[in-house]
Amino acid sequence: MGLFQKIAIAILTLQLLLMPALSNERVDNSINRVINQPISQSAPISEPDSTPINESYIPPRKTLAEKIAETPIGSQFKLFNIFIIFFVTLGPLKIIPSFVTLTENASASLRRQLAVRSAIISTIVLLLVAIIGQNILKVWTISLPSLMIAGGILLFLIALNIVMTQYAPPTQVHPPEKPDINLAVTPLVFPTILPPFGIAIALTMMVMSKQIGISSIGVLVLLVAVMGLNFICMLAARPILTFIRPVTLRILGFTLGVMQLALGIEFILYGIEIEVLVLRYLLDSVQ
């Protein structure tokens, strides 16, 4: 093989390493054209294919995962099921006791201001995360199973902590002596209304919506509905607590923790199931 042919093959190999989006078929054809040329120092070096490279190349494994997610595996996730998931992870059951404690020394006007501001901030943040986050995931080529497993692990760990604290001695929480409007951001919005696992679940549901045939607008409407429900419950937090005994709230908290545990395991198993089907398909295609 002549010197020029070796140089051409080296250039094509370097181009393949630097540009993973380049089609393997085009590279193989270019290399074959160089190897099959007559061995002559005066032979022209074949130029690489100048066809524009598709910058939005998606790895085959991620494509398979998205196609498998479109199968009836995801039929269990409907709008009502997604609403229940949002209610469990982002709903008012965990907000009411915290809001009453934080605003114990606050005036009625300040309580309304805290409820309004925290509801507006949490809704805006959640919508931005749901809309912008899925585009960032596409840029980083993060697959749906990976996102589901990560969100499931996070939800499982937090829920396990909630369940185990039910058996711990109750701790005395002291409300702030001089509450102000700054409580709307921390700790009211973060992490009371929008815990990390709640944001992860909202992002996961938004990404899943396209794969399981549910409108993204419908998911956004459900998020806004849950945030609106949180706002109403914050305004009526004290009447609700006068009607519901603290023991009932502890029982509801324990039930909520168990539901979150089961939901976290469900997300992990669903992500693993998709990955297993992807690996099985790849192994069958090799054989």
Side-chain angles (χ1 to χ4, degrees), residues 85 148-149 152 201 204-205 263-271:
I85 292 173
M148 293 194 67
I149 294 174
I201 296 301
T204 303
M205 290 291 101
L263 184 59
I265 296 174
E266 182 71 19
F267 270 73
I268 295 173
L269 293 179
Y270 185 34

Side-chain angles (χ1 to χ4, degrees), residues 145-214:
S146 301
L147 181 63
M148 293 194 67
I149 294 174
I153 293 175
L154 185 60
L155 180 59
F156 177 83
L157 294 177
I158 298 298
L160 183 62
N161 183 52
I162 293 175
V163 173
M164 298 307 296
T165 52
Q166 301 295 325
Y167 301 97
T171 57
Q172 187 68 25
V173 179
H174 300 283
E177 296 181 359
K178 296 181 179 180
D180 54 20
I181 197 64
N182 294 325
L183 294 175
V185 178
T186 304
L188 198 50
V189 174
F190 304 104
T192 303
I193 299 178
L194 298 180
F197 63 86
I199 296 177
I201 296 301
L203 180 58
T204 303
M205 290 291 101
M206 192 66 183
V207 175
M208 280 182 59
S209 62
K210 295 181 179 180
Q211 275 75 37
I212 60 181
I214 296 178

Side-chain angles (χ1 to χ4, degrees), residues 116-254:
V116 171
R117 179 167 296 189
S118 61
I120 293 175
I121 294 175
S122 58
T123 303
I124 293 175
V125 170
L126 200 56
L127 292 179
L128 288 178
V129 169
I131 296 174
I132 300 177
Q134 60 177 344
N135 296 325
I136 296 178
L137 292 177
K138 291 180 181 179
V139 174
W140 290 354
T141 64
I142 297 177
S143 64
L144 177 62
S146 301
L147 181 63
M148 293 194 67
I149 294 174
I153 293 175
L154 185 60
L155 180 59
F156 177 83
L157 294 177
I158 298 298
L160 183 62
N161 183 52
I162 293 175
V163 173
M164 298 307 296
T165 52
Q166 301 295 325
Y167 301 97
T171 57
Q172 187 68 25
V173 179
H174 300 283
E177 296 181 359
K178 296 181 179 180
D180 54 20
I181 197 64
N182 294 325
L183 294 175
V185 178
T186 304
L188 198 50
V189 174
F190 304 104
T192 303
I193 299 178
L194 298 180
F197 63 86
I199 296 177
I201 296 301
L203 180 58
T204 303
M205 290 291 101
M206 192 66 183
V207 175
M208 280 182 59
S209 62
K210 295 181 179 180
Q211 275 75 37
I212 60 181
I214 296 178
S215 173
S216 300
I217 298 178
V219 177
L220 294 177
V221 170
L222 291 179
L223 288 174
V224 174
V226 173
M227 292 299 105
L229 186 61
N230 290 341
F231 171 67
I232 295 174
C233 290
M234 282 188 288
L235 291 179
R238 277 171 171 75
I240 291 174
L241 281 186
T242 57
F243 178 74
I244 301 177
R245 299 291 182 179
V247 177
T248 306
L249 284 179
R250 289 182 63 88
I251 296 175
L252 289 176
F254 179 81

Side-chain angles (χ1 to χ4, degrees), residues 16-33:
L16 176 60
L17 293 175
L18 296 178
M19 298 181 180
L22 188 62
S23 172
N24 291 333
E25 182 179 356
R26 287 162 43 195
V27 176
D28 292 339
N29 292 337
S30 300
I31 295 178
N32 290 333
R33 287 200 302 267

Side-chain angles (χ1 to χ4, degrees), residues 8 30 39 47 56 74-75 78 82 118 144 161 191 225-226 244-245 254 259 275 279:
S30 300
I39 303 177
E47 296 293 334
S56 60
S75 61
K78 301 299 181 183
I82 294 178
S118 61
L144 177 62
N161 183 52
V226 173
I244 301 177
R245 299 291 182 179
F254 179 81
M259 292 176 63
E275 286 293 336
L279 294 176

